[in-house]
Amino acid sequence: MSQHDPVVGADRTTDPDPAGEGPERVATTQAFEEVFGPARDSEPELVQLLTPEGERQHHPLFDQDFDADTLRGFYRDMVLVRRLDTEATALQRHGELGLWAQLLGQEAAQIGAGRALRAQDHVFPTYREHGVAWCKGVDPLRLLAIFRGVDQGAWDPEAHHFGLYTIVIGAQTLHAVGYGMGMQRDGVVGTGDPDRDAAVIAHFGDGASSQGDVNEAFIFAASYNAPVVFFCQNNQWAISEPIERQSRIPLYQRANGFGFPGVRVDGNDVLATYAVTRAALQRAREGQGPTFVEAYTYRMGAHTTTDDPTRYRLNDDVERWKLRDPIKRLEVYLRRNGLVDDAWLADLTAEADEFGRTLREGCKSMPDPAPASMFDHVYAEETDELRAEREGFAAYHASFEAGVS
């Protein structure tokens, strides 16, 4: 269909305005957009409360006030989480971790979403939600332990209301919807009690949005009005595939097809991400159903430390996104408004340095797991087959010890 065809199958020989200039064409275009939505090249709305230059903006739906302690807390969170990411990357380069999934550049998306949660809200993460884990009180060393191969996730998901990392792309969205439906049956949704009502948030990336599991989760969430926030960190790269090859429309607009609202937020703006996620979570707690939040950001680092992004993307893009750095923009705002000074920032730098030292020493001192421990958490209850495998492995392992003695 050419850009001047008003609808598929229109008789172009009787088109009264082939140049697309007259009132008939305008009316036809408006009618077309009412049915099919805006053109793909239209600029999507982006909720933003803090510009890359550190200027405060206001929004008719998501504006709110932030006190000084909250703003400084956001800044501290992002600085320390970035230090975690930096230290973990260095540890992997020195052979202390087998792999690391970087979050560089996505700190605002994760801290904004994480701090919007209430204690009773439950998170279903991917393998990159280190900032959200930080907000839910998970020991950062437990994250490093996974990538060191010491365990498969040793924190208590119920104690932290933060699930174990999910490596299978998109699977956690189905888990989140099922958990949310369970909350409905437990009577902790829509009661009007802020200390009781709870919601679920499922994190995933732009690449995962193409997975069947994710789309099935959308269908079930819409059908059962599940109290779920689908939080998509659109860092614009599904490993090496750019977002332009993944979707013909902005990702948040996909929610319309499933029957629930979607919103795009500046994922490098911690204030806007917090405000939008907070509203979406409250909507879920009240029993109003799911919301799709697209945090539009950029993956400044590699997909993982095994990836080389210089093979598939331009350095100019990275340099352009450096100007939108989430930490720098908040620092500019804090300094401009007299909310921090050099002494406060120096104290935070010292805290980050000590945090880095703790991470390095803690990672290197982790004991190797007992080989047979790989059988411990396969099933909630051990099956006969698993027991036989465990016993066979024990005999195999003992044979080496006997040989040494």
Side-chain angles (χ1 to χ4, degrees):
M1 184 174 73
S2 76
Q3 63 177 340
H4 296 308
D5 289 333
V7 292
V8 174
D11 185 354
R12 296 167 64 185
T13 61
T14 60
D15 187 346
D17 183 29
E21 300 293 340
E24 296 89 349
R25 176 63 55 194
V26 173
T28 302
T29 301
Q30 291 174 342
F32 184 89
E33 290 190 357
E34 287 178 3
V35 176
F36 296 100
R40 290 195 300 271
D41 59 356
S42 62
E43 186 68 22
E45 181 185 2
L46 183 76
V47 178
Q48 186 180 81
L49 299 182
L50 193 65
T51 70
E53 296 75 31
E55 295 288 343
R56 185 72 163 85
Q57 302 292 301
H58 298 280
H59 193 277
L61 296 179
F62 299 105
D63 198 29
Q64 66 178 79
D65 295 325
F66 297 91
D67 60 39
D69 287 341
T70 298
L71 293 171
R72 285 191 290 262
F74 286 155
Y75 185 83
R76 174 181 177 272
D77 285 336
M78 291 194 292
V79 168
L80 294 180
V81 166
R82 179 169 290 185
R83 186 56 176 265
L84 165 62
D85 189 65
T86 302
E87 293 291 344
T89 300
L91 285 165
Q92 193 280 330
R93 298 306 189 205
H94 285 84
E96 299 295 340
L97 300 180
L99 183 73
W100 180 250
Q102 297 172 302
L103 62 72
L104 183 63
Q106 298 176 221
E107 296 89 355
Q110 295 198 13
I111 296 302
R115 289 305 180 195
L117 295 160
R118 291 181 182 167
Q120 65 268 31
D121 295 331
H122 201 92
V123 180
F124 284 84
T126 68
Y127 45 79
R128 202 187 301 275
E129 269 64 63
H130 319 313
V132 186
W134 168 269
C135 293
K136 294 297 279 185
V138 176
D139 184 349
L141 286 173
R142 298 275 52 84
L143 306 179
L144 298 185
I146 298 175
F147 293 95
R148 189 173 172 85
V150 171
D151 57 52
Q152 297 175 344
W155 63 87
D156 184 345
E158 283 304 302
H160 293 282
H161 292 281
F162 185 85
L164 299 179
Y165 276 6
T166 303
I167 305 301
V168 179
I169 305 299
Q172 72 279 4
T173 57
L174 289 171
H175 306 159
V177 173
Y179 196 94
M181 292 168 64
M183 283 181 167
Q184 290 173 317
R185 286 148 181 79
D186 287 342
V188 296
V189 178
T191 70
D193 182 352
D195 296 324
R196 179 177 176 83
D197 288 342
V200 180
I201 186 167
H203 285 265
F204 58 99
D206 47 291
S209 69
S210 300
Q211 291 286 90
D213 282 359
V214 175
N215 288 270
E216 290 167 14
F218 291 167
I219 292 171
F220 267 83
S223 299
Y224 291 93
N225 209 42
V228 180
V229 175
F230 294 105
F231 192 91
C232 175
Q233 291 175 72
N234 178 4
N235 65 24
Q236 302 182 54
W237 291 96
I239 306 181
S240 60
E241 286 298 305
I243 186 62
E244 292 81 6
R245 294 182 185 171
Q246 302 175 55
S247 180
R248 300 292 295 276
I249 61 172
L251 294 179
Y252 77 98
Q253 292 182 5
R254 288 183 175 180
N256 294 331
F258 294 93
F260 54 87
V263 58
R264 174 182 272 192
V265 62
D266 183 348
N268 284 24
D269 176 358
V270 68
L271 308 188
T273 304
Y274 172 87
V276 168
T277 309
R278 181 171 180 263
L281 285 166
Q282 184 58 26
R283 183 175 179 274
R285 296 187 199 106
E286 292 173 353
Q288 298 184 47
T291 304
F292 185 110
V293 176
E294 177 191 358
Y296 192 72
T297 181
Y298 195 82
R299 195 194 74 210
M300 295 298 293
H303 175 70
T304 69
T305 47
T306 63
D307 173 42
D308 179 9
T310 63
R311 297 178 61 185
Y312 54 79
R313 71 182 187 188
L314 298 175
N315 191 57
D316 288 349
D317 292 339
V318 178
E319 293 301 316
R320 186 160 53 249
W321 275 90
K322 281 183 180 179
L323 301 177
R324 306 175 189 180
D325 183 79
I327 297 178
K328 191 62 180 178
R329 75 169 71 181
L330 183 55
E331 180 181 337
V332 169
Y333 179 80
L334 291 172
R335 282 183 175 276
R336 182 180 294 145
N337 290 275
L339 301 179
V340 299
D341 55 20
D342 290 341
W344 189 90
L345 292 170
D347 288 344
L348 179 56
T349 298
E351 182 184 2
D353 290 342
E354 178 62 21
F355 180 48
R357 184 190 63 79
T358 299
L359 291 172
R360 293 191 300 272
E361 293 180 357
C363 178
K364 294 176 182 179
S365 65
M366 290 179 184
D368 291 334
S373 65
M374 63 180 167
F375 296 98
D376 288 348
H377 303 293
V378 179
Y379 296 108
E381 297 180 4
E382 189 173 55
T383 64
D384 291 341
E385 181 180 15
L386 183 62
R387 186 178 301 108
E389 290 178 352
R390 181 196 293 272
E391 293 171 353
F393 178 81
Y396 172 75
H397 192 259
S399 69
F400 286 94
E401 295 179 348
V404 170
S405 62

